[in-house]
Amino acid sequence: MSGGVPVRSGRNPLSAARRARDLLRGPRPEAVPALVTRACTLVGLVDIAAGVFPRFRHSRMHALAEVLPGALGPFAAAMSLSAGVLLLLLAHGLRRRKRRAWRAAVVLLPAGAIAQFTYRHSIVGVLISLALLVPLLRHRDEFRALPDPTSRWRALANFMLMGTGSILLGLLVVSAHAQHMVGDPSLADRLEHVIYGLFGFEGPIVYAGNTSWTVAYSLGALGLLTAITTIYLAFRPEHPAARLTSDDESRLRALLTRHGGRDSLGHFALRRDKAVVFSPSGKAAVTYRVVSGVMLASGDPIGDVEAWPGAIERFMDEAKAHSWTPAVMGCSETGAEVWTRETGLDALELGDEAVVDVADFSLAGRAMRNVRQMVKRIERLGYETRVRRVRDLGAAELDRIRRAAEDWRGTDTERGFSMALGRIGDPDDGDCLIATAHKGDETPGPYGDLKAVLHFVPWGPDGASLDLMRRDRSADPGMNELLIVAALEAAPRLGVQRVSLNFAMFRAALARGEKIGAGPVLRAWRGLLVFLSRWFQIESLYKFNAKFRPRWEPRFVVYATSRDLPRIGLAAMQAEGFVSLALPRVLRRPRPRPQRKNRPDGLTHPRTA
C-alpha cells in the first residue's frame, strides 16, 4: 500500500548483521528471561488473589497459595498483597534484562524462603523460592541491562499509579469480607475505610472476629508499599538523560562540515537534548534520545557513508547494554538500506520530505497562481520581508526574534525532535537563515514591526532545511507562504541551491488515493488519514507543501519487529511533544525552550506533524 512500503535489503553474512542482530536479541538461551517473567507474573497474581479473596485461600488452590513466596504466617494476607505487587513490578524489569530488577528478585526470593522456614517451617515454600532463584543465578549474565535515563517524575508517576492501585485493591479487600461486616456500610464508607487504612488508622467499618486485623494489615501493607517505592524513586541516585557535550558537538560539526550535504536532517543532530555514539574510526556518528525504553535515532548517520556500519554497531551495542528498543525515525532510502543490511532490522516508508530546487522555482505559471496571488495580496497590505544569516543580525534583534518566537508558540508543550533544532540565534549557528516579515505602518507591538519568523538550518554548503515557522496571531493570513517565497527568491544571493520544507506523513497514500481509479483499499486508507488530519494536520501539511511544486524524497522508520511499532510510535510522539507529562506552562519555572514550527494555518506544529 502506498505510504507503507517495506524496504528490505539482503544481509551480508560477512558484515556486522549477525553480530548486531545478536546484540538486539541478547544472549542465548532467550527463553530464560521470558520464563522468569511469566513465573513472577503468575506468582504475583496468585499472591494478590490469595491476599484479597478469603474464599480463594480456602479453595483447592489453598495449598499452592500457602507456599508461594510472600504468604507468611499470621500476616499472610498482607504479605501476599505486598509480595504479589512487588513481583509484578519486577517482572517487567526482568523481561528487559535489567540488572536492578535481577538484584531485587535475588534478594526477595531468599527472604521469602527464610520467612517460609522461620514462620511456617514450610520446606515446600523454601523449595519454590529456590526453584525461582536457581535460574536467576544460573543465567545471571543475561541480566546485564543498565538503568534507563530517569527523573524525579518517576516518583510522582509511581505515587499516582501505586496510590490508585492500592485504593482499588483496598476496596476489593474491604468488600471481599462483606459477610463479616457489622451493618451495611455504603461505598463512601468503604472508600473512607480504605483511605484511613492506607495511612495506618482505623476506619468507620467494624468487622466481626479477627477479620478487622486481616483487613487492617492488608491496607497498611499497601500504603507502606506505596510510600516505600515512591521514596526510593524520589531519592535514588539519578541516572540522567543523555545530553550532547561540547566535545561531542564539536566533533559532529566537523563531520557535518565534510559530509553535511548528504542529508537535509543532518544539522538537527546538533540538538543538545540528544546523545551520540561514534564509529570506532570517529568518521561517523548516530545521535539519539531514549524515550520510554526506546532508543530513538533520527535521520541518517552523520559522516562518511563507509563508516556508518561502525556507528550503527555502536548504536546497537548501546541498545543491548540498556535493553532499549532500537528505532530510527525519518531516515532516507539510503539510510534505510544500510540500517536493514547491517542490523537485520526492517524499514517502513513513513512519508515524504518536500525539497525545492531553487533554480527551478518560479511564481510564474498556472500551477503557482494561488501562491502568487496570496503573496501579492500580502505585499499590497504593506508587509516586507528580510532574509539573512544569523551571524548578520544584531544581538538586540536576535533577542527580539527569540522572544517573539517563544510567545507565538501555539501550544503549551514544546514540540520537535527529528526535524527541529531546538534553539534559534545561537552563536554557533551563524550559518542558519532567518526570514522575517515586517509591517511598519501600525502601532509597534511588543516586538516592534516583526510579524512572522522562519528559521532554516544549513544543509551542507549549498542547502537549507526549514526548522520552525512562527507568526503573530494578529498578522494577516499567508505569512508562511510569503516568507517561504522570500527565502526561495533570496536563496541564490545566499549561495543556497536547494531548500527542504516540511515532512508530509503518508504523502503517497494521500496523493494516489484522491486520483481517479484508486482502489477501495487505497481510498479507505486515505479516508482514515483525512479523518486523523483533524488532530495531526496530515492532509493540510501535504497540501501546503504541494503548493511550491517540490520534489518528494521518501523517509522511513526502521524497527526490529512489527510488535514494536506501537511502542515506537508512542515514543516518537513523546519525543516530538505530542504526548507530554510536563507541568502546565503556568506552573513551570521560566527557562529557554526548544523551538518548532507553525502549521500552515497559523497554528504551531513540528516538521513531523
Side-chain angles (χ1 to χ4, degrees), residues 180-265:
H180 299 291
M181 291 180 182
V182 176
D184 186 19
S186 65
L187 178 60
D189 291 332
R190 298 183 187 194
L191 182 60
E192 182 181 356
H193 191 84
V194 171
I195 300 298
Y196 275 103
L198 292 177
F199 287 95
F201 299 104
E202 186 176 352
I205 299 178
V206 178
Y207 290 92
N210 295 327
T211 304
S212 60
W213 290 104
T214 301
V215 174
Y217 278 126
S218 298
L219 296 179
L222 289 173
L224 185 62
L225 190 61
T226 300
I228 289 176
T229 55
T230 301
I231 292 172
Y232 166 74
L233 291 173
F235 291 100
R236 67 174 174 169
E238 187 171 1
H239 186 70
R243 291 291 184 269
L244 202 66
T245 66
S246 57
D247 180 63
D248 291 337
E249 185 173 340
S250 298
R251 295 176 66 185
L252 285 174
R253 288 184 183 275
L255 292 177
L256 288 170
T257 299
R258 295 191 295 270
H259 306 283
R262 207 208 58 78
D263 185 15
S264 65
L265 307 187

Side-chain angles (χ1 to χ4, degrees), residues 448-467:
D449 62 353
L450 184 64
K451 296 300 180 183
V453 177
L454 262 63
H455 186 254
F456 297 82
V457 300
W459 175 11
D462 60 352
S465 186
L466 184 57
D467 175 27

Side-chain angles (χ1 to χ4, degrees), residues 562-574:
S562 298
R563 65 176 178 270
D564 290 332
L565 284 175
R567 185 180 181 189
I568 293 170
L570 178 60
M573 292 181 70
Q574 288 180 265

Side-chain angles (χ1 to χ4, degrees), residues 145-190:
L146 300 176
D148 292 345
T150 58
S151 69
R152 303 310 177 203
W153 281 105
R154 293 288 298 275
L156 179 60
N158 178 83
F159 177 76
M160 299 297 294
L161 293 175
M162 287 289 293
T164 303
S166 296
I167 291 174
L168 295 177
L169 278 176
L171 285 173
L172 282 176
V173 170
V174 170
S175 301
H177 298 83
Q179 69 274 19
H180 299 291
M181 291 180 182
V182 176
D184 186 19
S186 65
L187 178 60
D189 291 332
R190 298 183 187 194

Side-chain angles (χ1 to χ4, degrees), residues 9 36 86 179 261 267 329 347 368 373 396 400 563 590 600 604:
S9 297
V36 170
L86 286 174
Q179 69 274 19
H267 200 85
M329 296 294 297
M368 298 297 295
Q373 291 176 346
R400 183 168 65 252
R563 65 176 178 270
T604 53

Side-chain angles (χ1 to χ4, degrees), residues 361 363 368 370-387 434-440 449-456 466 468-472 475-491 499 501 544 547-548 599-602:
F361 177 76
L363 286 177
M368 298 297 295
N370 291 337
V371 176
R372 182 173 63 249
Q373 291 176 346
M374 178 172 289
V375 170
K376 295 300 182 182
R377 180 181 62 82
I378 296 295
E379 289 177 342
R380 286 195 297 269
L381 293 175
Y383 288 90
E384 63 176 25
T385 60
R386 303 169 193 169
V387 183
I434 289 184
T436 55
H438 306 262
K439 190 175 184 182
D449 62 353
L450 184 64
K451 296 300 180 183
V453 177
L454 262 63
H455 186 254
F456 297 82
L466 184 57
L468 65 83
M469 304 163 67
R470 303 281 171 83
R471 72 175 182 88
D472 188 342
D476 294 281
M479 291 292 101
N480 294 333
E481 289 88 342
L482 174 68
L483 287 181
I484 287 178
V485 170
L488 291 171
E489 291 179 341
V499 175
L501 300 179
F544 176 80
K547 292 179 182 179
F548 303 97
R599 294 180 188 148
D601 58 5

